[in-house]
Amino acid sequence: MTDLFDKHRHIAERHQRMLQLGVNAVGVTNQRLLSPTRAIIDGRETILAGTNNYMGITFDPDCIAAGKAALDQFGTGTTGSRIANGSYSLHKDLEAELARFLNRKHCIVFTTGYQANLGMMSGLAGPRDTIYLDADSHSSIYDGCTLSGAKLVRFRHNDAADLDKRLARGEEDGGGRLVVLEGIYSMLGDRAPLADFIEVKKKHGFQLLVDEAHSFGVLGPNGRGLADEAGLEDEVDFVVGTFSKSVGAIGGFGAGNHPLFEYLRYAMRPYMFTASSSPASIATSIAAIRKLAAEPQRRDRLRENSARLFHGFKALGLDMGCDTVSPVIAVKCPDEPSTIAMWNALLKAGVYVNIALPPGTPNKLCLLRCSVSAAHTDSDIDRIITLFDSVVAQGHGKKVVNG
Amino acid sequence: MTDTVAEICKLLEPFNTVGTTLSPSTDISTDLNIDSVTVMDFVMEVEDHFDIEIPLNVLSETRTIADLAKVVEARAKKA
């Protein structure tokens, strides 16, 4: 008999190697949360700089009050899907709130961000269609594409000319064509060059989806994401986003203006066959989105903090994931063992960042990835820079700094 | 070794960091110890070299260099 676990033995071996170098870098336990930017890890107070808590909204008193009220009024869970059990008025309220925020006619809420991509990809594209996806797309996009049964063509990251070429190769195929981009790419923090892709859209004609997971609430004058920042929202057919980052809850959404958009509810298995979001999570999301709309200063603060960390790292000579300021700031490291060692040293010194290793990263990069929060103080940011100076610039990462 | 196999082997060399001797029966992922993302990056090089489209869907059934050569030849003919 072949043990089904045989294929996973290499994972166990890699994990053991990581443990020998320190604590479990991919399984940290936050014993207690003190604030959006502080937790007790291993008994020590630690600055959180790897939680995608961009707006620092997770402990907002109004959001917490809304969540508690929803628990009292609607209970702990919905115990089923919206198709089978019906919706709660809260779900409808959240969809209306989001549609307003996004300035889109239709919005569908999902239980997680992951499912939003699974649902939207598989609802929009079918076996006769083709999805063109950026090479650096998030796994939820890849998985959604696979679920759709569509033909999948991968184009070079952020390369509109490469997409143009690949669209031309498939010109005779027939079927619909969906192109998928991300507002901010989660590993390197770079944005899609949206205007270039829209030129290609005008040339070839396709429907365009932008996943604003890391840019929703963050970019643009209205906080609607990259397309808002670029002034190109009319050219984007579908938007996907998540509540687990700037909204500080859990869940996801898809939105668009297509007259048949609402019928996706009956065509997306990841929407139909899972329990709907819990009342507390929905209620905190509604409260948070209202805050994102009413308090643009949060976005300004996040931009200032991001710039402070970005320029601080630049001054240390660190090799960064991209050249533009974004709340995702990744530092390239020489190899896996040194990255693990530096990650451990940073944690011991009191800052939690993400460790990102292949195949979870593009181009086999080993990264120490920071995500900035509007709730970080200047002294938090300066402390992170100081620790990266001693641990990375003067430590194991020296190879990168000095070439 | 067919021309297509030889060309694929040449394209595969930069990805062959473990120094495996390449043959038609080489398993691209396991013999070269490369992960799923790197396999996709390699296939992109193959697509551009032959100016053909190799959708990701066909990769699940394409394990060896010979398998990939068959895909390339079938798709080059179609184009």
Side-chain angles (χ1 to χ4, degrees):
Chain A
M1 186 189 86
T2 303
D3 183 357
L4 294 166
F5 280 84
D6 281 347
K7 59 183 169 291
H8 299 315
R9 288 193 196 284
H10 72 284
I11 299 177
E13 285 159 16
R14 190 178 182 190
H15 197 243
Q16 286 307 317
R17 279 202 303 278
M18 180 181 276
L19 291 184
Q20 280 161 13
L21 293 164
V23 305
N24 184 0
V26 291
V28 160
T29 303
N30 294 281
Q31 290 148 325
R32 220 150 52 81
L33 266 291
L34 306 176
S35 77
T37 55
R38 288 287 188 290
I40 304 291
I41 299 174
D42 263 346
R44 282 187 304 273
E45 184 173 332
T46 306
I47 300 175
L48 300 175
T51 56
N52 300 329
N53 196 346
Y54 298 126
M55 290 298 143
I57 215 162
T58 44
F59 281 82
D60 182 276
D62 296 333
C63 294
I64 288 174
K68 284 180 176 167
L71 271 171
D72 286 339
Q73 288 169 26
F74 292 92
T76 52
T78 62
T79 67
S81 87
R82 290 172 67 182
I83 301 286
N85 293 24
S87 297
Y88 287 18
S89 58
L90 281 174
H91 295 116
K92 303 266 194 186
D93 294 344
L94 176 56
E95 286 173 344
E97 193 69 46
L98 259 174
R100 222 179 355 255
F101 184 88
L102 292 164
N103 196 25
R104 298 270 172 185
K105 288 200 178 82
H106 309 285
C107 177
I108 299 176
V109 163
F110 296 83
T111 308
T112 66
Y114 178 80
Q115 283 163 306
N117 269 333
L118 287 192
M120 289 295 287
M121 303 305 148
S122 61
L124 290 169
R128 289 170 195 277
D129 304 316
T130 305
I131 304 178
Y132 294 84
L133 72 163
D134 187 284
D136 286 7
S137 293
H138 188 261
S139 284
S140 58
I141 294 173
Y142 276 95
D143 292 354
C145 288
T146 303
L147 188 63
S148 75
K151 186 172 88 174
L152 307 179
V153 177
R154 186 174 178 255
F155 60 88
R156 290 182 196 277
H157 175 55
N158 274 353
D159 189 338
D162 192 70
L163 171 64
D164 183 7
K165 182 174 74 184
R166 286 168 205 280
L167 283 161
R169 280 180 194 151
E171 209 70 76
E172 307 296 316
D173 287 358
R177 297 193 292 183
L178 176 67
V179 171
V180 182
L181 308 174
E182 292 184 41
I184 291 177
Y185 285 87
S186 63
M187 284 296 126
L188 299 181
D190 50 343
R191 297 160 165 78
L194 197 53
D196 297 349
F197 282 108
I198 293 205
E199 286 305 307
V200 178
K201 188 183 186 222
K202 286 179 180 151
K203 180 175 167 190
H204 288 278
F206 52 74
Q207 283 165 300
L208 174 63
L209 181 150
V210 178
D211 178 356
E212 302 271 18
H214 291 267
S215 40
F216 174 78
V218 168
L219 296 184
N222 306 292
R224 296 199 285 256
L226 177 70
D228 182 25
E229 181 184 68
L232 292 166
E233 288 177 288
D234 289 347
E235 302 295 337
V236 174
D237 300 281
F238 312 107
V239 191
V240 166
T242 176
F243 304 140
S244 59
K245 299 178 171 61
S246 59
V247 178
I250 186 165
F253 66 86
N257 293 328
H258 196 286
L260 297 177
F261 193 87
E262 291 292 331
Y263 296 101
L264 284 174
R265 292 182 200 272
Y266 314 108
M268 302 186 295
R269 301 171 67 84
Y271 173 85
M272 296 159 74
F273 297 106
T274 193
S276 58
S277 318
S278 75
S281 189
I282 292 283
T284 65
S285 299
I286 294 171
I289 289 161
R290 287 184 183 147
K291 295 228 160 208
L292 295 184
E295 298 171 11
Q297 63 272 23
R298 287 176 184 270
R299 286 192 283 286
D300 298 337
R301 181 70 197 155
L302 177 63
R303 247 192 305 274
E304 288 159 18
N305 285 350
S306 303
R308 193 179 183 95
L309 188 62
F310 181 88
H311 295 299
F313 279 0
K314 265 241 132 102
L316 296 179
L318 298 175
D319 191 3
M320 325 257 283
C322 74
D323 289 333
T324 41
V325 174
S326 107
V328 175
I329 299 178
V331 174
K332 295 179 187 167
C333 304
D335 52 37
E336 186 165 318
S338 69
T339 310
I340 295 170
M342 289 189 286
W343 181 88
N344 273 284
L346 287 168
L347 186 69
K348 270 207 183 111
V351 60
Y352 173 79
V353 302
N354 303 118
I355 189 165
L357 302 169
T361 54
N363 308 320
K364 295 188 184 172
L365 288 168
C366 294
L367 303 170
L368 291 169
R369 173 194 180 274
C370 303
S371 54
V372 182
S373 173
H376 282 130
T377 62
D378 285 353
S379 66
D380 288 342
I381 302 283
D382 293 346
R383 177 82 185 134
I384 298 167
I385 296 167
T386 304
L387 292 177
F388 267 74
D389 185 20
S390 58
V391 171
V392 184
Q394 311 298 328
H396 279 95
K398 246 199 264 186
K399 256 195 269 180
V400 172
V401 178
N402 300 328
Chain B
M1 208 183 263
T2 67
D3 289 352
T4 312
V5 167
E7 281 178 76
I8 289 173
C9 289
K10 212 165 131 196
L11 293 169
L12 197 49
E13 256 335 313
F15 296 86
N16 184 11
T17 50
V18 288
T20 305
T21 310
L22 301 178
S23 77
S25 63
T26 302
D27 185 302
I28 296 165
S29 173
T30 56
D31 290 345
L32 272 66
N33 194 24
I34 56 181
D35 61 48
S36 53
V37 174
T38 311
V39 171
M40 290 193 290
D41 289 344
F42 160 63
V43 169
M44 223 173 214
E45 298 298 330
V46 175
E47 285 182 295
D48 285 349
H49 178 82
F50 293 98
D51 193 22
I52 54 168
E53 183 181 74
I54 306 176
L56 299 184
N57 318 58
V58 307
L59 294 187
S60 54
E61 286 160 30
T62 309
R63 299 210 59 84
T64 64
I65 290 176
D67 292 342
L68 185 59
K70 250 186 248 160
V71 171
V72 167
E73 281 163 7
R75 293 197 165 250
K77 216 180 279 167
K78 212 169 79 183

